[in-house]
Amino acid sequence: MKENKINNNNNKLSNITINTRKPRIGKKLWVYNIITMKLVNNKPYNSISECNRDLNIERKTINKYINNNKIYKYKYIFSNKLLDNNILNQYNINISDKARQVIIGELLGDGHLHLADNNQSARLEWAFSIKALPYVNYLKFNILKELCNDTLPTPYPKDNPRHYWFSTKFRPDLLELHKKWYKYDNINNRYIKTLPDPLDISPIALGHWLMGDGSYNNAVILCTDIFTKDEVLKLINYLYYKYNLDSNLLVIKYKLNNNLIIRYRIRFRSNSTHKIRLLIKEHILPEFYYKLGIN
């Protein structure tokens, strides 16, 4: 009886099929970081699932972006094949030269670069009075269209708006501008806007500076309230040596919560009014000619 049991057990063992096949591996996926122009992790992923786990990007999103000639969040290119440098160079996400000049003009005024929480990108944002809505729309849907989405500017407050706010998308190329224009204030635990060195202010930038934060009161005035006295003097010297525009320091004093506040602005002398008109008139909208003293 014992012998029969052993034989039966042997028969059961002989019927077991051993799976010798290797685990299935999906199609390889090449993921490029467009900022560094290099392959993520220096090698392709063995599957979309592996990429999903590593980058925490949904599988359906990865499938959507594979070989569709679009960049995921201005950072990644997904491809099912190896891409050479000639192809990668076609994915140039750097902002255009004109847009960069416009942004510099806005940063000289009320424009602000806001750093993303992950410190990997930044966006440009503004708040304008309701009177400047045509200019807001011009920036968002025309001159900076490449950087913005299609949503309308945000009114504030919503019911009876006095201001409009809008921003560009978060982009890594704007991060480079943030590094040049901002420094961290350890006392107040925040970034503050400062003048970059060296300065590079084109006529286009100067025109947008005037439209966004300039005025005319018997002279062309540029608001520089956010900058220090030394920074404003630096701007005055730059404009004189670069464009032969003669200006002086305009000191603004007022009280806020019983505290004396002092701000500094640039006021162009009368002998430079005609010069600045010739320099920037073609770069500003006709509805802003009054800021050049032109009726």
Side-chain angles (χ1 to χ4, degrees), residues 111-248:
H112 170 67
L113 283 170
H114 179 75
L115 190 64
D117 292 339
N118 61 6
N119 296 329
Q120 297 297 310
S121 61
R123 73 181 182 193
L124 188 66
E125 55 188 33
W126 297 265
F128 287 105
S129 70
I130 192 171
K131 294 180 180 179
L133 182 58
Y135 182 58
V136 174
N137 288 328
Y138 171 67
L139 286 174
K140 184 172 178 60
F141 300 114
N142 188 313
I143 200 73
L144 296 179
K145 182 178 180 180
E146 64 187 272
L147 309 177
C148 302
N149 57 32
D150 295 330
T151 59
L152 294 174
T154 304
Y156 179 83
K158 183 179 293 186
D159 295 332
N160 187 23
R162 296 187 300 274
H163 296 87
Y164 279 90
W165 176 92
F166 85 97
S167 72
T168 67
K169 300 174 183 177
F170 279 106
R171 291 172 58 109
D173 43 6
L174 291 178
L175 177 64
E176 297 307 310
L177 281 173
H178 187 278
K179 293 177 181 178
K180 293 179 180 179
W181 281 81
Y182 287 79
K183 67 179 181 181
Y184 194 75
D185 181 357
N186 290 309
I187 297 176
N188 296 303
N189 295 320
R190 62 186 181 91
Y191 283 97
I192 59 173
K193 186 162 60 175
T194 61
L195 284 181
D197 189 20
L199 285 170
D200 182 17
I201 305 172
S202 68
I204 292 176
L206 189 57
H208 280 268
W209 183 6
L210 179 73
M211 285 192 289
D213 210 12
S215 63
Y216 186 86
N217 185 10
N218 297 319
V220 178
I221 298 172
L222 292 172
C223 294
T224 46
D225 294 23
I226 197 168
F227 298 115
T228 66
K229 180 179 180 180
D230 287 342
E231 287 177 318
V232 178
L233 289 173
K234 180 180 178 180
L235 286 166
I236 288 174
N237 289 331
Y238 176 88
L239 293 172
Y240 179 76
Y241 289 107
K242 176 78 173 181
Y243 298 113
N244 195 27
L245 295 173
D246 194 10
S247 60
N248 60 6

Side-chain angles (χ1 to χ4, degrees), residues 19-61:
N19 187 357
T20 59
R21 291 183 300 175
K22 294 181 179 180
R24 183 178 178 182
I25 298 177
K27 293 182 179 180
K28 288 186 180 296
L29 179 68
W30 282 260
V31 183
Y32 294 88
N33 186 318
I34 197 61
I35 301 174
T36 63
M37 286 292 185
K38 293 182 179 179
L39 201 61
V40 175
N41 298 330
N42 297 314
K43 61 180 181 180
Y45 289 102
N46 289 317
S47 66
I48 291 177
S49 296
E50 185 181 9
C51 177
N52 157 251
R53 291 191 297 270
D54 185 43
L55 298 181
N56 195 28
I57 301 174
E58 292 185 2
R59 289 168 53 91
K60 64 179 182 180
T61 301

